[in-house]
Amino acid sequence: MNNVQKNRLKDQLFKFWGIFCTLIGLILLFVFIGDILIDGISRIDWKFLTDLPSRKAEKSGIYTALMGSIWILLLTTLISFPMGVAAGLYLEEYAKKNRFSAILEINISNLAGVPSIIYGLLGLEVFVRIMNLGASVLAGSLTLSLLILPIIIVATREAVKAVPSTIKDASYALGASKWQTIWNQILPASGGGILTGVILALSRAVGETAPLIVVGALAYVPFAPQTPMDDFSVLPIQIFNWISRPQHGFIENAAAAIIILLLITFVMNGIAVYFRNKWQKKWS
């Protein structure tokens, strides 16, 4: 067997292994989702979405946790989106390429892989204790903003890097300033990639539990938050609370809440794919 045949055999083996792993992953995913649908789909109705938590499984709903998740998602977006995009643009377009910026880039990339519980401890010390925000929606949103900021910064930089240099050169040749080039050319051209990164980062934030528990989110809240300073709960914590109870009715409630959380995540990922494809077609 010559080298060409050996390489072809290796390619076929790698291809077979990739297909096999993909099939196994899809089967496990379908089994997992199917089991959740069997347990929880019959429990989802309008009352389940609008009822408050209760000691009785059949009367318990996700209203407070759902509203808490919406509050957290909105505030986290308002905090992290402008800061992350601005930081990514600065590092890519304005920062000098020296040793300090190289170290900064490495640290930002590493921060994206730090366990979320570490951000929870940081949020507990800085936002809850030092800033005296307490176990509020704002403290939770600031903590999750720290969690996803590195992801947004990296996504912004990669999207800006993907903009062809000819677009920048043409803008400068027509007499545009650096800021005019960024605002009128680079941001529109990289908008799809930036939005994709932001939405995927928010999809991670909406499913986080550990940092919010550390900050002080409650498993049972008898009211929906009305202001950023109110106490709150979120869907992942409510699911954890229900799944830890022995009654089968709460298991069904947890499965139904998981379906709602999966739908939110799938919708956000679908929006990210839509914007990415839209911008790719526009600028291709």
Side-chain angles (χ1 to χ4, degrees):
M1 182 179 295
N2 56 35
N3 290 333
V4 175
Q5 292 174 330
K6 288 181 180 179
N7 290 333
R8 288 179 179 176
L9 180 60
K10 289 180 181 179
D11 291 339
Q12 291 176 353
L13 289 174
F14 279 120
K15 183 178 180 181
F16 173 78
W17 179 249
I19 294 173
F20 174 77
C21 292
T22 302
L23 289 175
I24 293 297
L26 288 174
I27 291 172
L28 293 175
L29 179 62
F30 286 136
V31 169
F32 170 72
I33 294 179
D35 184 62
I36 292 174
L37 289 174
I38 292 171
D39 287 338
I41 193 66
S42 61
R43 184 68 180 86
I44 298 177
D45 55 22
W46 184 248
K47 288 192 64 179
F48 181 73
L49 297 176
T50 57
D51 281 350
L52 300 176
S54 172
R55 294 181 179 180
K56 296 181 179 180
E58 64 275 8
K59 294 183 178 180
S60 189
I62 61 169
Y63 179 72
T64 57
L66 182 60
M67 293 304 297
S69 292
I70 293 174
W71 268 93
I72 286 287
L73 185 61
L74 290 177
L75 285 178
T76 302
T77 303
L78 292 175
I79 295 168
S80 62
F81 178 72
M83 291 180 62
V85 173
L89 284 173
Y90 172 78
L91 290 173
E92 189 60 33
E93 294 295 328
Y94 288 97
K96 296 181 179 180
K97 306 302 179 182
N98 50 30
R99 183 175 296 179
F100 175 76
S101 62
I103 295 174
L104 189 61
E105 292 172 10
I106 293 173
N107 287 328
I108 290 174
S109 299
N110 290 335
L111 285 173
V114 172
S116 59
I117 188 69
I118 305 300
Y119 288 99
L121 295 172
L122 179 62
L124 174 65
E125 182 63 28
V126 175
F127 304 129
V128 177
R129 294 176 179 172
I130 297 177
M131 297 180 64
N132 199 29
L133 295 177
S136 63
V137 176
L138 182 58
S141 300
L142 288 169
T143 302
L144 290 183
S145 297
L146 288 180
L147 173 66
I148 65 174
L149 263 178
I151 303 174
I152 296 176
I153 292 172
V154 171
T156 300
R157 296 195 62 193
E158 293 301 321
V160 171
K161 283 181 183 178
V163 177
S165 59
T166 52
I167 294 178
K168 303 178 186 179
D169 295 338
S171 179
Y172 292 140
L174 292 172
S177 65
K178 192 174 188 65
W179 171 245
Q180 289 174 326
T181 300
I182 291 174
W183 183 256
N184 296 312
Q185 302 299 329
I186 296 177
L187 275 178
S190 60
I194 293 174
L195 282 178
T196 299
V198 170
I199 295 173
L200 293 179
L202 292 172
S203 298
R204 177 187 175 184
V206 78
E208 283 292 342
T209 307
L212 296 180
I213 291 177
V214 174
V215 167
L218 304 175
Y220 174 77
V221 180
F223 55 85
Q226 300 295 325
T227 69
M229 299 307 298
D230 288 343
D231 293 338
F232 71 101
S233 183
V234 290
L235 279 174
I237 294 178
Q238 185 67 73
I239 292 169
F240 175 77
N241 181 34
W242 280 339
I243 207 71
S244 61
R245 299 190 180 188
Q247 296 91 341
H248 183 70
F250 286 111
I251 303 299
E252 293 179 350
N253 287 352
I258 290 172
I259 294 172
I260 300 298
L261 188 59
L262 285 175
L263 286 175
I264 294 173
T265 305
F266 289 158
V267 168
M268 294 179 68
N269 290 342
I271 293 172
V273 172
Y274 168 78
F275 278 113
R276 183 188 64 192
N277 293 336
K278 181 180 179 181
W279 256 267
Q280 284 179 346
K281 290 180 181 179
K282 182 177 180 180
W283 292 93
S284 60

